[in-house]
Structure formats: C-alpha cells, structure tokens
mmCIF file of all heavy atoms in Angstrom:
data_model
loop_
_atom_site.group_PDB
_atom_site.id
_atom_site.type_symbol
_atom_site.label_atom_id
_atom_site.label_comp_id
_atom_site.label_asym_id
_atom_site.label_seq_id
_atom_site.Cartn_x
_atom_site.Cartn_y
_atom_site.Cartn_z
ATOM 1 N N THR A 1 -11.418 -2.642 -10.669
ATOM 2 C CA THR A 1 -10.288 -3.230 -9.979
ATOM 3 C C THR A 1 -9.437 -2.096 -9.473
ATOM 4 O O THR A 1 -9.626 -0.905 -9.994
ATOM 5 C CB THR A 1 -9.450 -4.140 -10.909
ATOM 6 O OG1 THR A 1 -8.946 -3.196 -12.015
ATOM 7 C CG2 THR A 1 -10.314 -5.201 -11.663
ATOM 8 N N LEU A 2 -8.497 -2.406 -8.602
ATOM 9 C CA LEU A 2 -7.594 -1.390 -8.130
ATOM 10 C C LEU A 2 -6.773 -0.841 -9.271
ATOM 11 O O LEU A 2 -6.305 0.235 -9.319
ATOM 12 C CB LEU A 2 -6.658 -2.024 -7.056
ATOM 13 C CG LEU A 2 -7.019 -2.103 -5.683
ATOM 14 C CD1 LEU A 2 -5.895 -2.725 -4.941
ATOM 15 C CD2 LEU A 2 -7.276 -0.642 -5.160
ATOM 16 N N MET A 3 -6.503 -1.678 -10.418
ATOM 17 C CA MET A 3 -5.800 -1.165 -11.551
ATOM 18 C C MET A 3 -6.586 -0.061 -12.253
ATOM 19 O O MET A 3 -5.927 0.837 -12.792
ATOM 20 C CB MET A 3 -5.404 -2.400 -12.448
ATOM 21 C CG MET A 3 -4.495 -2.034 -13.522
ATOM 22 S SD MET A 3 -2.795 -1.685 -12.890
ATOM 23 C CE MET A 3 -2.244 -3.439 -12.630
ATOM 24 N N HIS A 4 -7.889 -0.193 -12.415
ATOM 25 C CA HIS A 4 -8.652 0.767 -12.971
ATOM 26 C C HIS A 4 -8.521 2.041 -12.166
ATOM 27 O O HIS A 4 -8.323 3.132 -12.828
ATOM 28 C CB HIS A 4 -10.162 0.379 -12.971
ATOM 29 C CG HIS A 4 -10.512 -0.574 -13.991
ATOM 30 N ND1 HIS A 4 -10.610 -1.936 -13.821
ATOM 31 C CD2 HIS A 4 -10.975 -0.427 -15.273
ATOM 32 C CE1 HIS A 4 -10.918 -2.614 -14.876
ATOM 33 N NE2 HIS A 4 -11.270 -1.795 -15.795
ATOM 34 N N PHE A 5 -8.610 2.033 -10.811
ATOM 35 C CA PHE A 5 -8.395 3.159 -9.997
ATOM 36 C C PHE A 5 -7.115 3.881 -10.326
ATOM 37 O O PHE A 5 -7.150 5.057 -10.446
ATOM 38 C CB PHE A 5 -8.474 2.681 -8.570
ATOM 39 C CG PHE A 5 -8.126 3.773 -7.634
ATOM 40 C CD1 PHE A 5 -8.808 4.943 -7.301
ATOM 41 C CD2 PHE A 5 -6.758 3.716 -6.983
ATOM 42 C CE1 PHE A 5 -8.408 5.896 -6.383
ATOM 43 C CE2 PHE A 5 -6.262 4.775 -6.165
ATOM 44 C CZ PHE A 5 -7.050 5.830 -5.806
ATOM 45 N N ALA A 6 -5.980 3.085 -10.218
ATOM 46 C CA ALA A 6 -4.704 3.652 -10.405
ATOM 47 C C ALA A 6 -4.530 4.485 -11.755
ATOM 48 O O ALA A 6 -3.958 5.484 -11.892
ATOM 49 C CB ALA A 6 -3.573 2.684 -10.138
ATOM 50 N N VAL A 7 -4.963 3.667 -12.879
ATOM 51 C CA VAL A 7 -4.881 4.295 -14.227
ATOM 52 C C VAL A 7 -5.777 5.402 -14.391
ATOM 53 O O VAL A 7 -5.458 6.472 -15.003
ATOM 54 C CB VAL A 7 -5.193 3.114 -15.210
ATOM 55 C CG1 VAL A 7 -5.256 3.712 -16.583
ATOM 56 C CG2 VAL A 7 -4.138 2.074 -15.131
ATOM 57 N N ARG A 8 -6.983 5.331 -13.799
ATOM 58 C CA ARG A 8 -7.953 6.489 -14.029
ATOM 59 C C ARG A 8 -7.365 7.705 -13.538
ATOM 60 O O ARG A 8 -7.625 8.879 -14.201
ATOM 61 C CB ARG A 8 -9.315 6.067 -13.307
ATOM 62 C CG ARG A 8 -10.411 7.132 -13.594
ATOM 63 C CD ARG A 8 -11.789 6.756 -12.936
ATOM 64 N NE ARG A 8 -12.278 5.563 -13.585
ATOM 65 C CZ ARG A 8 -12.451 4.453 -13.068
ATOM 66 N NH1 ARG A 8 -11.875 4.085 -11.922
ATOM 67 N NH2 ARG A 8 -13.123 3.436 -13.760
ATOM 68 N N LEU A 9 -6.663 7.695 -12.400
ATOM 69 C CA LEU A 9 -6.128 8.863 -11.858
ATOM 70 C C LEU A 9 -4.724 9.234 -12.393
ATOM 71 O O LEU A 9 -4.060 10.313 -12.032
ATOM 72 C CB LEU A 9 -5.975 8.785 -10.275
ATOM 73 C CG LEU A 9 -7.395 9.020 -9.625
ATOM 74 C CD1 LEU A 9 -7.074 8.964 -7.985
ATOM 75 C CD2 LEU A 9 -8.101 10.267 -9.806
ATOM 76 N N GLY A 10 -4.169 8.382 -13.140
ATOM 77 C CA GLY A 10 -2.905 8.647 -13.799
ATOM 78 C C GLY A 10 -1.779 8.364 -12.757
ATOM 79 O O GLY A 10 -0.635 9.143 -12.902
ATOM 80 N N LEU A 11 -1.977 7.405 -11.872
ATOM 81 C CA LEU A 11 -0.956 7.212 -10.928
ATOM 82 C C LEU A 11 0.152 6.164 -11.460
ATOM 83 O O LEU A 11 -0.057 4.964 -11.228
ATOM 84 C CB LEU A 11 -1.581 6.568 -9.558
ATOM 85 C CG LEU A 11 -2.680 7.513 -9.005
ATOM 86 C CD1 LEU A 11 -3.312 6.859 -7.767
ATOM 87 C CD2 LEU A 11 -2.205 8.942 -8.831
ATOM 88 N N LEU A 12 1.194 6.671 -11.995
ATOM 89 C CA LEU A 12 2.217 5.819 -12.673
ATOM 90 C C LEU A 12 2.937 5.015 -11.721
ATOM 91 O O LEU A 12 3.049 3.696 -11.989
ATOM 92 C CB LEU A 12 3.175 6.780 -13.312
ATOM 93 C CG LEU A 12 4.122 6.076 -14.337
ATOM 94 C CD1 LEU A 12 3.406 5.616 -15.574
ATOM 95 C CD2 LEU A 12 5.235 7.172 -14.840
ATOM 96 N N ARG A 13 3.396 5.451 -10.579
ATOM 97 C CA ARG A 13 4.195 4.636 -9.620
ATOM 98 C C ARG A 13 3.294 3.561 -9.056
ATOM 99 O O ARG A 13 3.732 2.432 -8.909
ATOM 100 C CB ARG A 13 4.691 5.496 -8.577
ATOM 101 C CG ARG A 13 5.682 6.576 -8.988
ATOM 102 C CD ARG A 13 6.003 7.437 -7.905
ATOM 103 N NE ARG A 13 6.914 8.623 -8.209
ATOM 104 C CZ ARG A 13 6.420 9.715 -8.539
ATOM 105 N NH1 ARG A 13 5.121 9.922 -8.585
ATOM 106 N NH2 ARG A 13 7.223 10.799 -8.859
ATOM 107 N N LEU A 14 2.023 3.839 -8.732
ATOM 108 C CA LEU A 14 1.216 2.914 -8.078
ATOM 109 C C LEU A 14 0.833 1.813 -9.137
ATOM 110 O O LEU A 14 0.733 0.608 -8.782
ATOM 111 C CB LEU A 14 -0.109 3.629 -7.460
ATOM 112 C CG LEU A 14 -1.079 2.673 -6.724
ATOM 113 C CD1 LEU A 14 -0.463 1.960 -5.651
ATOM 114 C CD2 LEU A 14 -2.416 3.465 -6.312
ATOM 115 N N THR A 15 0.534 2.210 -10.340
ATOM 116 C CA THR A 15 0.230 1.288 -11.399
ATOM 117 C C THR A 15 1.407 0.200 -11.541
ATOM 118 O O THR A 15 1.191 -0.992 -11.636
ATOM 119 C CB THR A 15 0.041 1.915 -12.686
ATOM 120 O OG1 THR A 15 -1.122 2.861 -12.552
ATOM 121 C CG2 THR A 15 -0.200 0.939 -13.860
ATOM 122 N N TRP A 16 2.693 0.686 -11.490
ATOM 123 C CA TRP A 16 3.824 -0.064 -11.709
ATOM 124 C C TRP A 16 3.948 -1.219 -10.502
ATOM 125 O O TRP A 16 4.163 -2.229 -10.663
ATOM 126 C CB TRP A 16 5.094 0.748 -11.710
ATOM 127 C CG TRP A 16 6.361 -0.103 -11.713
ATOM 128 C CD1 TRP A 16 7.101 -0.340 -10.558
ATOM 129 C CD2 TRP A 16 6.961 -0.849 -12.727
ATOM 130 N NE1 TRP A 16 8.217 -1.219 -10.862
ATOM 131 C CE2 TRP A 16 8.139 -1.489 -12.262
ATOM 132 C CE3 TRP A 16 6.589 -1.087 -14.065
ATOM 133 C CZ2 TRP A 16 8.877 -2.250 -12.932
ATOM 134 C CZ3 TRP A 16 7.413 -1.954 -14.823
ATOM 135 C CH2 TRP A 16 8.509 -2.499 -14.319
ATOM 136 N N PHE A 17 3.664 -0.606 -9.297
ATOM 137 C CA PHE A 17 3.607 -1.411 -8.162
ATOM 138 C C PHE A 17 2.571 -2.552 -8.234
ATOM 139 O O PHE A 17 2.829 -3.724 -7.938
ATOM 140 C CB PHE A 17 3.349 -0.603 -6.903
ATOM 141 C CG PHE A 17 3.234 -1.460 -5.558
ATOM 142 C CD1 PHE A 17 4.253 -1.878 -4.740
ATOM 143 C CD2 PHE A 17 1.979 -1.866 -5.095
ATOM 144 C CE1 PHE A 17 4.171 -2.650 -3.682
ATOM 145 C CE2 PHE A 17 1.717 -2.584 -3.970
ATOM 146 C CZ PHE A 17 2.868 -3.117 -3.324
ATOM 147 N N LEU A 18 1.297 -2.259 -8.580
ATOM 148 C CA LEU A 18 0.266 -3.207 -8.676
ATOM 149 C C LEU A 18 0.650 -4.239 -9.757
ATOM 150 O O LEU A 18 0.271 -5.303 -9.706
ATOM 151 C CB LEU A 18 -0.951 -2.510 -9.121
ATOM 152 C CG LEU A 18 -1.550 -1.530 -7.972
ATOM 153 C CD1 LEU A 18 -2.806 -0.955 -8.337
ATOM 154 C CD2 LEU A 18 -1.877 -2.289 -6.594
ATOM 155 N N LEU A 19 1.375 -3.740 -10.837
ATOM 156 C CA LEU A 19 1.733 -4.661 -11.817
ATOM 157 C C LEU A 19 2.640 -5.838 -11.420
ATOM 158 O O LEU A 19 2.693 -6.974 -11.882
ATOM 159 C CB LEU A 19 2.340 -4.095 -13.079
ATOM 160 C CG LEU A 19 1.606 -3.396 -14.051
ATOM 161 C CD1 LEU A 19 2.410 -2.490 -15.051
ATOM 162 C CD2 LEU A 19 0.704 -4.365 -14.889
ATOM 163 N N GLN A 20 3.386 -5.545 -10.353
ATOM 164 C CA GLN A 20 4.343 -6.579 -9.839
ATOM 165 C C GLN A 20 3.674 -7.440 -8.901
ATOM 166 O O GLN A 20 4.320 -8.465 -8.344
ATOM 167 C CB GLN A 20 5.452 -5.835 -9.165
ATOM 168 C CG GLN A 20 6.101 -4.695 -9.890
ATOM 169 C CD GLN A 20 6.428 -4.928 -11.343
ATOM 170 O OE1 GLN A 20 7.041 -5.974 -11.692
ATOM 171 N NE2 GLN A 20 5.994 -4.095 -12.183
ATOM 172 N N GLN A 21 2.432 -7.144 -8.290
ATOM 173 C CA GLN A 21 1.687 -7.943 -7.457
ATOM 174 C C GLN A 21 0.875 -9.105 -8.036
ATOM 175 O O GLN A 21 0.595 -9.038 -9.269
ATOM 176 C CB GLN A 21 0.860 -7.063 -6.599
ATOM 177 C CG GLN A 21 1.525 -5.857 -5.907
ATOM 178 C CD GLN A 21 2.778 -6.317 -5.249
ATOM 179 O OE1 GLN A 21 2.898 -7.200 -4.319
ATOM 180 N NE2 GLN A 21 3.967 -5.497 -5.496
ATOM 181 N N PRO A 22 0.603 -10.062 -7.307
ATOM 182 C CA PRO A 22 -0.389 -11.123 -7.789
ATOM 183 C C PRO A 22 -1.593 -10.582 -8.275
ATOM 184 O O PRO A 22 -2.274 -9.755 -7.675
ATOM 185 C CB PRO A 22 -0.560 -12.063 -6.586
ATOM 186 C CG PRO A 22 0.605 -11.832 -5.671
ATOM 187 C CD PRO A 22 1.054 -10.385 -5.946
ATOM 188 N N GLY A 23 -1.980 -11.022 -9.564
ATOM 189 C CA GLY A 23 -3.196 -10.474 -10.063
ATOM 190 C C GLY A 23 -3.057 -9.233 -10.844
ATOM 191 O O GLY A 23 -3.968 -8.691 -11.567
ATOM 192 N N GLY A 24 -1.837 -8.648 -10.815
ATOM 193 C CA GLY A 24 -1.723 -7.287 -11.447
ATOM 194 C C GLY A 24 -1.722 -7.382 -13.007
ATOM 195 O O GLY A 24 -2.379 -6.583 -13.616
ATOM 196 N N ARG A 25 -1.156 -8.393 -13.583
ATOM 197 C CA ARG A 25 -1.254 -8.432 -15.046
ATOM 198 C C ARG A 25 -2.642 -9.036 -15.503
ATOM 199 O O ARG A 25 -3.197 -8.461 -16.489
ATOM 200 C CB ARG A 25 -0.210 -9.468 -15.528
ATOM 201 C CG ARG A 25 1.162 -9.062 -15.467
ATOM 202 C CD ARG A 25 1.556 -7.993 -16.412
ATOM 203 N NE ARG A 25 2.841 -7.329 -16.314
ATOM 204 C CZ ARG A 25 3.230 -6.376 -16.975
ATOM 205 N NH1 ARG A 25 2.481 -5.837 -18.040
ATOM 206 N NH2 ARG A 25 4.506 -5.777 -16.734
ATOM 207 N N GLY A 26 -3.264 -9.802 -14.698
ATOM 208 C CA GLY A 26 -4.645 -10.244 -14.970
ATOM 209 C C GLY A 26 -5.571 -9.086 -14.937
ATOM 210 O O GLY A 26 -6.523 -9.230 -15.763
#
C-alpha cells in the first residue's frame, strides 16, 4: 500500500497526510 511506501522510507509528513485520507487507517 501507499502507507507501506511512506513508512518504509521514513516519510513522517506523508504518512500523516495519508492517515487523514480515506483508507488511511485501514
């Protein structure tokens, strides 16, 4: 998932953004 991508690279801001979007928590 996009969340795997953001976390794998350590992208804190992008991870936070994705968490606020539909499907982010899922």
Side-chain angles (χ1 to χ4, degrees):
T1 69
L2 274 179
M3 192 68 78
H4 284 92
F5 164 79
V7 171
R8 188 179 284 110
L9 285 183
L11 305 179
L12 190 67
R13 300 174 185 89
L14 183 57
T15 299
W16 173 259
F17 174 84
L18 293 175
L19 278 174
Q20 316 310 310
Q21 306 310 307
R25 291 286 169 185

